[in-house]
Amino acid sequence: MEKRVLFKGWILPLVLIAPQVLISAVFFFYPAAQAIWQSLFIPDPFGLSSKFVGLGNFEFLLGDPFYRASFVTTAVFSILVTLCSMIPALFLAVIADRLIKGSGVYRTMLIWPYAVAPAVAGVLWLFMFNTRVGVVSWYLGRLGYDWNHVLNGGEAMGLVVIASAWGRISYNFLFFFAALQSVPRSVIEAAAIDGAQFWRRFFTIVLPLITPTAFFLLVVNVVYAFFETFGVIHTITAGGPQQSTTILVYKVFSDGFVGQDLGSSSAQSVILLVVVGLLTVIQFKYIEKRVHY
């Protein structure tokens, strides 16, 4: 039976949870409440007064073709970032799990990119693909391909996806490697004795056993693609060209801090919060059914 911890009074439990409640209230609940409140108003250009419009900001956003296009851009971007960060991380974790000599060195080298901030990662990739002094763009030019992410929306999207996924591979690698280490070796050895090849053992035994970790990383990476890739996009493309890389979180910044439309920006943040919440609920409701605990 599971042993439960019982407190003699109610003061100690409140003291223990007070720091987390305070942090959540200051940095999450209060800003969320402010965003919901400001989304109901339109401030004047000088910020001296506000006019109550109710759901007018939401109606305007849903009728704006540029805002609807940012939904499609965000969906494509988040799917690509999630796949490009999880699949290579799983492959590298499998390779590192099979190494016997020098495995610690490989693991350390694979973890290093996670220490790079998203904005710094964006600058690094921007320098490599710079149309004038970039090393990668120079080699592509030698091969006959004219790289120019400043004018080509597809190339810009590919560049921000690579830059965003690159730093995330290390994070996913850590969890996948830990999950692979927890798989019982006796089960794998029994399948090998029965004649199952490596990839058959992986897809029929190992992969189902690490699905809880894969599901956790799926949720975390989707949230990362929605919220934490702002620095990469801002340093590389600033949402361009022609808003081809303007995802929802960047449009919140662009309209609120650049366009000074705080009402519309607040409404966008509320919609973004609802969208991410719905995606998380859908993932837990439908995808989690395929997870083997």
Side-chain angles (χ1 to χ4, degrees), residues 5-126:
V5 179
L6 300 177
F7 295 95
K8 295 182 179 180
W10 56 271
I11 298 179
L12 180 59
L14 290 180
V15 172
L16 293 176
I17 67 173
Q20 181 62 43
V21 172
L22 181 62
I23 292 175
S24 299
V26 173
F27 294 101
F28 179 75
F29 292 110
Y30 176 74
Q34 282 291 103
I36 296 174
W37 177 254
Q38 292 181 5
S39 67
L40 304 176
F41 294 86
I42 294 181
D44 65 6
F46 300 100
L48 301 176
S49 61
S50 300
K51 178 182 178 181
F52 180 79
V53 294
L55 300 178
N57 287 321
F58 296 95
E59 295 176 358
F60 172 77
L61 288 174
L62 296 179
D64 184 9
F66 293 104
Y67 185 68
R68 293 199 301 267
S70 67
F71 268 94
V72 179
T73 303
T74 304
V76 173
F77 175 77
S78 59
I79 292 173
L80 291 177
V81 169
T82 302
L83 294 178
C84 293
S85 61
M86 291 185 64
I87 295 176
L90 179 59
F91 176 76
L92 293 173
V94 171
I95 299 301
D97 185 51
R98 299 191 67 190
L99 289 176
I100 299 177
K101 295 182 179 180
S103 59
V105 177
Y106 287 105
R107 290 197 297 267
T108 303
M109 293 176 62
L110 289 171
I111 293 171
W112 277 351
Y114 182 59
V116 180
V120 178
V123 172
L124 292 175
W125 286 91
L126 178 61

Side-chain angles (χ1 to χ4, degrees), residues 196-219:
Q197 298 299 320
F198 171 76
W199 290 111
R200 182 175 178 82
R201 296 197 302 269
F202 175 77
F203 285 108
T204 58
I205 298 176
V206 177
L207 189 59
L209 291 176
I210 66 172
T211 48
T213 301
F215 175 71
F216 164 76
L217 290 176
L218 176 64
V219 176

Side-chain angles (χ1 to χ4, degrees), residues 233-256:
I233 294 177
H234 188 58
T235 53
I236 295 180
T237 64
Q242 296 181 348
Q243 298 190 358
S244 59
T245 58
T246 300
I247 61 175
L248 291 175
V249 68
Y250 193 82
K251 190 164 179 58
V252 171
F253 161 80
S254 178
D255 291 354

